[in-house]
Amino acid sequence: MRRRDIIRSSAFLTIGAVSTSIFGSCGKSPQTSTSTTNVTSPASTEGKAPLRIALIPWIGWGSAHIADVKGYFQAEGIEVKQTVFQTVSEVNTALLSQQMDLSWLVALDLLVLAAKAPNLKFIYACDYSGAVDAIVSHGIKNTADLKGKKIAREDIPYEVVFTNKYLASVGLSDTDVQVVSLAVPDAHAAFIAGKVDAATIYEPFISKALKGRPGSRVLYTAKNSNTIANGLAADSSILKTRREDVLAYLRAIGKGMAFAKANPQEANEIVAKWVGATPAEVTEQIAQVRLLDIAMNKSIVFDEKNPLNVINSIDSAAPILMKAGKISKVLAGKDLVDDSFVKAL
């Protein structure tokens, strides 16, 4: 099997498009990792069904894998089944069909998923995408140069939102440019070939684009923004009936994050093996992503006074997705989040 590059999955469900970050698939079936209580734990799991978690191998969710490897679920007294899917469509389908109790996904995807699962709630964020997402350009020196130019982007919610936010920041809209709908690898290839003037892409395609087309530059990135918030979501019924187990799961995730901060080399080796990359590549990618621990979830993600909170992220995405025809109804961000779990940690 060849080493896999970091890519993003484009998945279209019947209710719309949803997306997130993954390392490329080698055509494998979902892999399930089960953590059981083999050590002394604060609570018994006897008679309880395992907490079923769906995720894809994304570095931002590495703390969940580290928690599994290091036995933090057992230490919290819970049995966990983490099923690793290769596409986000599988993750979301598993969540919607109740095959999974919780899923790691993109917060703004809840605006789309709510059409079939109105009681889904976002409860915890693992990262805000940073410079791994960007718009690269060639021959564009100022705002005036953008008008009429071709910008390639994938026709999926987060890229629609990300691209349109950039255009709005320079006083333009998608009607002022020629949007070319291409999957990211194809957008990258079109940019290198000079078929488009700009492209919304992510690493490693950003670095490859800058090298492959001399004179290119980065116009815009997700750095220091909450546009792409990745985290954990579940139906409110699960959050009610399995509350203590979910809290225990989040505590274990917190321990995984703490381990990664204290032992970056070992942690990156663990994550690299999981995602099919090298430790050096994982180190480079992590440096460009804003990883969020429990404290930051309290002070940033779920703090309504902080402008970078996740409610603002969802609220700012809703009208863009509505205009783009990705959703038929604008939902309030506050109705799609549950901050009680973070507050209880």
Side-chain angles (χ1 to χ4, degrees), residues 135-142 166 191 210 213-220:
I135 298 175
V136 296
S137 69
H138 187 276
I140 297 174
K141 298 179 180 179
N142 53 54
Y166 163 66
F191 180 77
L210 296 177
R213 192 174 179 184
S216 300
R217 69 187 184 97
V218 172
L219 279 180
Y220 185 70

Side-chain angles (χ1 to χ4, degrees), residues 100-151:
M100 294 289 145
D101 299 315
L102 299 98
S103 289
W104 291 91
L105 42 68
V106 183
L108 64 80
D109 280 351
L110 294 187
L111 289 163
V112 177
L113 297 175
K116 282 198 171 182
N119 295 317
L120 286 178
K121 304 291 182 183
F122 189 82
I123 65 169
Y124 182 85
C126 59
D127 72 88
Y128 281 176
S129 178
V132 296
D133 285 282
I135 298 175
V136 296
S137 69
H138 187 276
I140 297 174
K141 298 179 180 179
N142 53 54
T143 303
D145 291 338
L146 270 173
K147 290 187 177 181
K149 294 297 193 297
K150 293 181 180 180
I151 298 181

Side-chain angles (χ1 to χ4, degrees), residues 35-170:
S35 295
T36 56
T37 48
N38 297 322
V39 298
T40 301
S41 57
S44 173
T45 62
E46 186 176 355
K48 285 186 177 181
L51 196 63
R52 304 167 302 172
I53 314 294
L55 71 168
I56 52 178
W58 158 237
I59 56 172
W61 303 332
S63 56
H65 181 64
I66 292 171
D68 188 12
V69 171
K70 288 296 179 180
Y72 296 147
F73 300 136
Q74 295 98 315
E76 287 293 336
I78 55 170
E79 184 178 358
V80 172
K81 280 188 177 180
Q82 293 197 142
T83 301
V84 178
F85 294 89
Q86 294 303 318
T87 67
V88 74
S89 62
E90 295 172 296
V91 168
N92 288 315
T93 297
L95 180 63
L96 293 174
S97 63
Q98 299 181 1
Q99 296 176 45
M100 294 289 145
D101 299 315
L102 299 98
S103 289
W104 291 91
L105 42 68
V106 183
L108 64 80
D109 280 351
L110 294 187
L111 289 163
V112 177
L113 297 175
K116 282 198 171 182
N119 295 317
L120 286 178
K121 304 291 182 183
F122 189 82
I123 65 169
Y124 182 85
C126 59
D127 72 88
Y128 281 176
S129 178
V132 296
D133 285 282
I135 298 175
V136 296
S137 69
H138 187 276
I140 297 174
K141 298 179 180 179
N142 53 54
T143 303
D145 291 338
L146 270 173
K147 290 187 177 181
K149 294 297 193 297
K150 293 181 180 180
I151 298 181
R153 62 142 174 80
E154 196 159 354
D155 191 29
I156 51 179
Y158 101 87
E159 287 214 359
V160 171
V161 171
F162 180 62
T163 304
N164 282 22
K165 281 193 172 184
Y166 163 66
L167 292 172
S169 73
V170 294

Side-chain angles (χ1 to χ4, degrees), residues 299-318:
S299 64
I300 300 173
V301 182
F302 293 96
D303 182 357
E304 292 191 29
K305 295 180 181 179
N306 193 310
L308 293 180
N309 72 72
V310 71
I311 292 176
N312 284 350
S313 174
I314 296 171
D315 284 341
S316 65

